[in-house]
Amino acid sequence: MKKSFFLRVLSMIASFFSNHLNLFADACERQFTLGIIQRSGAITSPGYAADERDEADGRIVRTALNTIAQNDPIVNMQGEINMLPNVPAMTQVIVSNAGGGAVAKTVYFLNEDIFNATPGNNGSGEASISNTYGDGWSGNGYNQLAKALSAQNGIKCYGLTLSFVTTSTGNENSSGLATAQPTWLMASMVGSSQIPKGFVLNAGKRNTQYLSGTMTISGVFFMNSLCQLSYVVPAGNTVTLTVLTSPLS
């Protein structure tokens, strides 16, 4: 027992001196490296002028510093990084097929995961209406952007364009546009109802000479996590909605 006790004591003493010797060696190495850096001019200060005769030492020190920098786990990023994407426009394309029993249907833009959802059936069968968002995430990317910006009123929009085309011919469809009834909807928080605010079709800009089925509404409005856009799509039509989130130049 006594022998074991003395061995433990000797081991602790040896460990103590070993640790302190390592610290002393590290301190000496740092002092030596600092001395070389100072002599080579790698550090410029009033007390240490660059010495051209020690160019070889300077190269060694610069190599050592580069090696340290390359292995340094700390990355210093200058300035702030904005993680919100720059989205010039939000888009949605609705294709409503023609077929037996197909009728016009009201479709929705934004926040479909919480509020109204665009139907997938226009009366002619399942998947007779397709709904494609431009964010690549079935609209969920736009939804998250609206949530992120809702503390500041939401996504600032500068206008929207609706374009109606007869799918089978590719021709502009003015009659589809005439019955579109685009409406801005805000959740009322009372009985799952929404407060409508209609856009006046006559206020939209239309060049009927070229694009009879296209209308642009210019003006600033906000899309947040509590609102949607709705519009009516006839059967046999392809409709493109573009919501501008940057000012028109």
Side-chain angles (χ1 to χ4, degrees), residues 31-42 54 57-58 60-61:
Q31 187 64 30
F32 173 76
T33 303
L34 181 60
I36 293 177
I37 294 172
Q38 291 168 348
R39 284 195 303 116
S40 66
D54 291 335
D57 287 345
I60 294 172
V61 170

Side-chain angles (χ1 to χ4, degrees), residues 94-99 102 105 118-132:
I94 301 290
V95 180
S96 182
N97 297 336
K105 288 289 185 179
T118 296
N121 188 341
N122 65 6
S124 64
E126 292 299 322
S128 53
I129 296 179
S130 68
N131 179 8
T132 304

Side-chain angles (χ1 to χ4, degrees), residues 13-104:
I13 293 172
S15 176
F16 174 83
F17 279 105
S18 175
N19 290 337
H20 280 70
L21 284 173
N22 288 335
L23 291 173
F24 178 75
D26 290 341
C28 290
E29 182 179 355
R30 286 195 298 271
Q31 187 64 30
F32 173 76
T33 303
L34 181 60
I36 293 177
I37 294 172
Q38 291 168 348
R39 284 195 303 116
S40 66
I43 295 179
T44 302
S45 68
Y48 298 99
D51 188 349
E52 295 179 357
R53 293 173 300 178
D54 291 335
E55 182 60 26
D57 287 345
R59 286 196 299 270
I60 294 172
V61 170
R62 285 192 294 272
T63 300
L65 291 176
N66 287 337
T67 301
I68 292 171
Q70 291 172 5
N71 292 279
D72 191 344
I74 299 175
V75 177
N76 183 17
M77 295 186 294
Q78 300 297 325
E80 298 179 352
I81 297 177
N82 185 355
M83 298 302 291
L84 291 174
N86 180 21
V87 182
M90 298 184 292
T91 62
Q92 179 187 44
V93 177
I94 301 290
V95 180
S96 182
N97 297 336
V103 295

Side-chain angles (χ1 to χ4, degrees), residues 136-213:
W137 299 93
S138 301
N140 290 319
Y142 295 156
N143 296 347
Q144 293 302 314
L145 182 61
K147 291 176 183 177
L149 295 175
S150 283
Q152 301 175 356
N153 295 325
I155 304 170
K156 189 173 184 178
C157 304
Y158 295 86
L160 63 84
T161 295
L162 273 172
S163 178
F164 284 73
V165 172
T166 302
T167 307
S168 60
T169 64
N171 296 328
E172 293 271 328
N173 183 7
S174 58
S175 62
L177 178 60
T179 58
Q181 302 175 23
T183 305
W184 182 84
L185 300 169
M186 169 66 75
S188 67
M189 302 301 168
V190 178
S192 69
S193 63
Q194 290 177 304
I195 302 171
K197 181 177 180 179
F199 292 108
V200 180
L201 278 174
N202 292 335
K205 298 177 181 178
R206 287 183 283 175
N207 188 336
T208 56
Q209 181 179 357
Y210 298 102
L211 302 173
S212 60

